[in-house]
Amino acid sequence: MTNDEEPECANPLFFKWVSEWYEVARASNAKTQHTLKKACVSLQRYPLLLENAQDAVQLQGIGPGIADRLVKKLASWRKEQGIAEPAAVVSEAASGSANPETSTSTRQKTQRLYVPRYRSGAFALLIGLLKTYCLYGPDYFIPK
């Protein structure tokens, strides 16, 4: 993505930053160059204006890592330009830092019944115990 082939796109700042990251990754032969290339292409093709950097996650090739880098870069760019943060971004940041437990959701595990696989050692033990129970009753002691 050289400067000569930069096409018109709806998000020129994001495209410029991601293409700069792509060039750095390509120069150092980093593994992230392929992901950044996909991110450049999807930003180039996306016709709508993105309100903030977190909205870029919906694009192919842009995950939470690249979106976080874009958020930080956008914040520093706004600080350099003397532009104030939008009210929605400021309120989200304040609410997110005040209560971190609501922002990170933890999935609870459901309790499942243990069923051993067919023809496994555990399956053989259970079958042996069942046959002994059926033949001799519940009070029978099974030696080792």
Side-chain angles (χ1 to χ4, degrees):
M1 296 286 148
T2 61
N3 293 337
D4 299 336
E5 57 186 64
E6 280 188 24
E8 294 280 331
C9 69
N11 304 292
L13 272 179
F14 293 159
F15 178 75
K16 176 184 163 196
W17 294 332
V18 173
S19 61
E20 287 173 1
W21 297 335
Y22 167 68
E23 292 298 329
V24 170
R26 194 178 79 178
S28 64
N29 201 19
K31 291 182 180 179
T32 57
Q33 68 178 328
H34 304 293
T35 305
L36 290 168
K37 174 73 172 174
K38 287 180 189 176
C40 284
V41 169
S42 63
L43 274 171
Q44 191 175 11
R45 291 181 182 169
Y46 192 66
L48 303 175
L49 180 67
L50 295 170
E51 294 293 324
N52 57 35
Q54 288 297 333
D55 292 343
V57 175
Q58 67 188 352
L59 300 177
Q60 183 179 5
I62 298 179
I66 295 176
D68 288 340
R69 286 175 70 180
L70 284 172
V71 167
K72 290 175 185 171
K73 185 79 171 176
L74 184 62
S76 66
W77 180 81
R78 283 186 175 141
K79 187 181 263 187
E80 289 173 6
Q81 300 295 324
I83 301 171
E85 292 277 332
V89 173
V90 172
S91 65
E92 287 176 8
S95 67
S97 63
N99 195 357
E101 295 165 13
T102 58
S103 62
T104 58
S105 62
T106 57
R107 208 172 94 187
Q108 292 184 355
K109 292 185 177 181
T110 58
Q111 294 291 329
R112 288 199 241 168
L113 184 64
Y114 173 69
V115 180
R117 294 186 121 186
Y118 180 67
R119 297 185 73 135
S120 68
F123 183 80
L125 286 173
L126 287 177
I127 294 298
L129 287 171
L130 179 66
K131 286 184 178 181
T132 304
Y133 178 82
C134 291
L135 287 174
Y136 302 109
D139 295 332
Y140 183 74
F141 176 73
I142 302 171
K144 213 175 185 183

